[in-house]
Amino acid sequence: MTIPKKVRLVEVGPRDGLQNEKQPISVADKVRLVDDLTAAGLGYVEVGSFVSPKWVPQMAGSAEVFAQIQRKAGVTYAGLAPNLKGFEAAVEAGVKEVAVFAAASESFSQKNINCSIAESLERFVPVMEAAKAHGISVRGYVSCVLGCPYEGEVPAEQVASVAAELYAMGCYEVSLGDTIGTGTAGATRHLINVVGTRVPRDRLAGHFHDTYGQAVANVYASLLEGVAVFDSSVAGLGGCPYAKGATGNVATEDVLYLLNGLGIQTGIDIDQLAAAGQRICAVLGKENGSRVARAILASRG
Amino acid sequence: MTIPKKVRLVEVGPRDGLQNEKQPISVADKVRLVDDLTAAGLGYVEVGSFVSPKWVPQMAGSAEVFAQIQRKAGVTYAGLAPNLKGFEAAVEAGVKEVAVFAAASESFSQKNINCSIAESLERFVPVMEAAKAHGISVRGYVSCVLGCPYEGEVPAEQVASVAAELYAMGCYEVSLGDTIGTGTAGATRHLINVVGTRVPRDRLAGHFHDTYGQAVANVYASLLEGVAVFDSSVAGLGGCPYAKGATGNVATEDVLYLLNGLGIQTGIDIDQLAAAGQRICAVLGKENGSRVARAILASRG
């Protein structure tokens, strides 16, 4: 298997990232972040989430963000829609692509979204139907694919079942999330081999957390298995909700540095990307979580 | 090529790490660090450097450190000996293994050790002879193997020449150092393939800096090419002298986490190792540079 010549990066900073930052930020700052990211060349940005602001206050104003961003041709602006109510709000906001999420671990599903894996999948049926009716694409997330904070190891076959159900339901792509970052390169390759028997590899994405410093290696391991789509978060926005103070989402800059080194095309400008990350970190008053961004900034003195 | 079943980690924190920390620390703290590391199971520790304290004040007292550590059977305690004078001081301190270093880039050699690559190699000739006479093993370092802060790209063939000269001279192992951390996985594999034509792969070690977040991926890439020895620094001690505030040596904990995940044997206890790193970070008053250590600490609340 040769590694892909082209990779699509799915930028999850404005949603998955900001959702896990303590401090909610303004609609204007979110809009600026999304526009900065697409100006840097990102072709896919998860902009916000259509959930109750009671549960996720950081995602309040997602409709306003969608209304105010400068839509660039060829860019996908997606929103998370956990249920039909969220989906309807997304449609009203003019969203053309939504994401749904399920867990590969029962305990995580119960604690995170308060229902079993099977129940969560049932909940997506009307969302999928409505999406089809509206001509809206749906992307699926599976969390805890390489470990669960409550159960520990998660069998690859269990991940494959959930991924296959999402794919069969109509998700055009399934993103495999190492939610707690405990996956390593060998386990990643094994996972892709197992899930790849149920969902075509060109319909899989890797979503790695860098909590144990393994995410870039896991992206490389996934490339070796033919995966060509990766989720990442500018400046490593988000942190790790399961270990406060630890690293969460892999930084987009760090993944891009790997891809550039491998000669893989993405169309993204790394300096502009790092500047976008640094700006949002200044707004949040936090240190930049990207090693590449820190090195670029440090080398400029 | 299957990946190695067993890996030797060369702990460079007490030397390469502390040498690049601003704040010099006491002999007692250095001794404690070395003893903590060997108690955690590390089988090779670079303890100090026999250079003029005028040039490297952080390495003052290396002879005292060697005199006070608790020597554990089967552990190699090494010292850096840049020239014959340093070598003699190392012998006097009872050192049984020394390291010498050369650069793969002319500009780096000139700026770092004030002589050409050829001159630096000539300087090692009497060291190698004296080492042979004393029955002391010599390990060679080559720096700037995947990029130079002054020249940019460094041809793999140039690295191979320097590595081959060190090997021919009597270095039993040659450590390939990505001094500025700009290497990525593909370049790492190419480098090992090229150097591997001149020096047997089981005589090569990888020494990666995590400045651009690539080090763990580069270790994995090296494993795929059959390299089974890696240098690393507990808690990522050292930082990056070429970009202040950026990351330097890859953290031993982060490499060990990868190796553990791959089922590769090292004999090292990751919790004890993380505790050793956290202790020295407290002495230095700095944040722990290991993502694994931060995650372990965070998960304990």
Side-chain angles (χ1 to χ4, degrees):
Chain A
M1 172 111 34
T2 55
I3 62 171
K5 287 190 173 58
K6 228 176 146 174
V7 156
R8 179 159 55 87
L9 290 184
V10 170
E11 173 59 47
V12 300
R15 201 282 302 170
D16 193 12
L18 292 182
Q19 175 172 325
N20 290 303
E21 294 290 344
K22 268 169 253 137
Q23 187 190 335
I25 70 164
S26 71
V27 166
D29 282 323
K30 287 181 191 171
V31 169
R32 172 71 190 261
L33 174 61
V34 173
D35 289 343
D36 283 350
L37 292 167
T38 57
L42 276 152
Y44 191 117
V45 181
E46 206 179 65
V47 171
S49 183
F50 294 89
V51 286
S52 164
K54 206 174 75 186
W55 297 112
V56 190
Q58 291 92 338
M59 287 295 107
S62 284
E64 288 85 342
V65 178
F66 270 99
Q68 293 174 32
I69 48 177
Q70 296 191 298
R71 287 181 185 264
K72 218 177 129 184
V75 172
T76 302
Y77 299 90
L80 200 71
N83 49 40
L84 195 56
K85 199 178 159 199
F87 176 81
E88 284 160 357
V91 171
E92 209 171 310
V95 177
K96 300 275 180 275
E97 168 145 343
V98 299
V100 297
F101 64 85
S105 131
E106 276 300 344
S107 311
F108 190 85
S109 188
Q110 287 292 353
K111 300 214 183 189
N112 194 47
I113 49 177
N114 214 18
C115 64
S116 70
I117 297 171
E119 283 162 352
S120 73
L121 294 171
E122 276 163 38
R123 202 178 284 175
F124 300 148
V125 175
V127 175
M128 301 306 300
E129 281 168 3
K132 205 172 169 188
H134 284 83
I136 286 176
S137 306
V138 184
R139 191 170 191 255
Y141 282 110
V142 186
S143 57
C144 296
V145 301
L146 287 162
C148 165
Y150 312 110
E151 294 183 15
E153 272 191 47
V154 174
E157 290 71 19
Q158 202 168 306
V159 179
S161 293
V162 178
E165 291 211 51
L166 288 172
Y167 185 63
M169 224 175 236
C171 290
Y172 76 94
E173 184 170 279
V174 180
S175 170
L176 304 173
D178 181 13
T179 312
I180 55 170
T182 50
T184 46
T188 300
R189 296 181 77 162
H190 173 68
L191 176 73
I192 294 161
N193 275 302
V194 173
V195 180
T197 62
R198 309 279 301 272
V199 180
R201 285 176 197 226
D202 63 359
R203 298 288 155 187
L204 293 178
H207 178 117
F208 298 106
H209 282 214
D210 206 22
T211 317
Y212 292 85
Q214 307 298 310
V216 173
N218 292 345
V219 169
Y220 180 61
S222 304
L223 288 168
L224 294 175
E225 295 297 336
V227 173
V229 183
F230 298 97
D231 302 355
S232 58
S233 176
V234 69
L237 289 178
C240 177
Y242 304 97
K244 297 285 173 208
T247 315
N249 281 299
V250 66
T252 309
E253 298 92 318
D254 298 9
V255 174
L256 181 59
Y257 196 90
L258 170 72
L259 300 175
N260 286 348
L262 293 167
I264 295 172
Q265 288 174 29
T266 61
I268 305 165
D269 183 290
I270 200 161
D271 288 308
Q272 255 185 286
L273 176 65
Q278 191 55 21
R279 197 173 293 118
I280 189 69
C281 287
V283 171
L284 290 163
K286 65 172 279 190
E287 197 197 21
N288 199 311
S290 160
R291 300 194 170 197
V292 165
R294 290 209 301 270
I296 289 175
L297 292 164
S299 67
R300 289 190 186 137
Chain B
M1 172 111 31
T2 54
I3 64 170
K5 288 193 172 57
K6 229 176 144 171
V7 155
R8 179 159 56 87
L9 289 185
V10 169
E11 173 58 48
V12 300
R15 203 281 302 170
D16 193 13
L18 292 182
Q19 175 173 324
N20 290 304
E21 294 290 344
K22 269 170 250 135
Q23 185 191 337
I25 69 163
S26 71
V27 166
D29 282 324
K30 287 181 191 172
V31 169
R32 172 71 190 261
L33 174 61
V34 173
D35 289 343
D36 282 350
L37 291 166
T38 57
L42 276 152
Y44 191 118
V45 181
E46 207 178 64
V47 172
S49 183
F50 295 89
V51 287
S52 164
K54 205 175 75 187
W55 298 112
V56 190
Q58 291 91 337
M59 288 294 107
S62 284
E64 287 85 343
V65 178
F66 270 97
Q68 292 174 33
I69 49 177
Q70 295 191 299
R71 285 179 186 267
K72 218 177 130 184
V75 172
T76 302
Y77 298 91
L80 199 71
N83 49 39
L84 195 57
K85 199 179 158 198
F87 176 81
E88 283 161 357
V91 172
E92 210 169 310
V95 177
K96 301 275 179 274
E97 169 146 343
V98 299
V100 297
F101 62 85
S105 132
E106 276 300 345
S107 312
F108 191 85
S109 188
Q110 287 292 354
K111 300 214 184 190
N112 194 47
I113 51 176
N114 214 21
C115 65
S116 70
I117 297 170
E119 283 163 351
S120 74
L121 294 171
E122 277 163 37
R123 201 177 285 175
F124 300 148
V125 174
V127 175
M128 300 307 298
E129 282 169 2
K132 206 174 169 188
H134 284 83
I136 286 175
S137 306
V138 184
R139 189 170 192 256
Y141 282 110
V142 186
S143 56
C144 297
V145 301
L146 288 162
C148 164
Y150 312 111
E151 295 182 14
E153 272 191 46
V154 174
E157 291 70 19
Q158 201 168 306
V159 179
S161 293
V162 179
E165 290 211 52
L166 287 172
Y167 185 63
M169 223 176 238
C171 290
Y172 76 94
E173 185 170 280
V174 180
S175 170
L176 303 174
D178 181 12
T179 311
I180 55 171
T182 50
T184 45
T188 300
R189 297 181 77 161
H190 174 70
L191 176 74
I192 293 160
N193 276 301
V194 173
V195 180
T197 62
R198 309 279 302 272
V199 180
R201 284 174 198 228
D202 63 359
R203 298 290 156 185
L204 293 178
H207 178 117
F208 298 107
H209 282 213
D210 206 23
T211 317
Y212 292 84
Q214 306 298 310
V216 173
N218 291 345
V219 169
Y220 180 61
S222 305
L223 289 167
L224 294 175
E225 295 297 334
V227 173
V229 183
F230 297 98
D231 303 354
S232 58
S233 178
V234 69
L237 289 179
C240 176
Y242 305 97
K244 298 286 174 207
T247 316
N249 281 300
V250 66
T252 309
E253 298 91 319
D254 298 8
V255 175
L256 182 59
Y257 196 90
L258 170 72
L259 301 175
N260 285 348
L262 292 166
I264 294 172
Q265 287 174 29
T266 61
I268 305 166
D269 183 290
I270 201 160
D271 288 309
Q272 257 186 284
L273 177 65
Q278 191 54 23
R279 198 173 293 119
I280 189 70
C281 286
V283 171
L284 289 162
K286 64 172 280 190
E287 198 197 22
N288 199 311
S290 160
R291 300 195 170 197
V292 166
R294 290 210 300 271
I296 290 176
L297 291 163
S299 67
R300 288 191 188 136

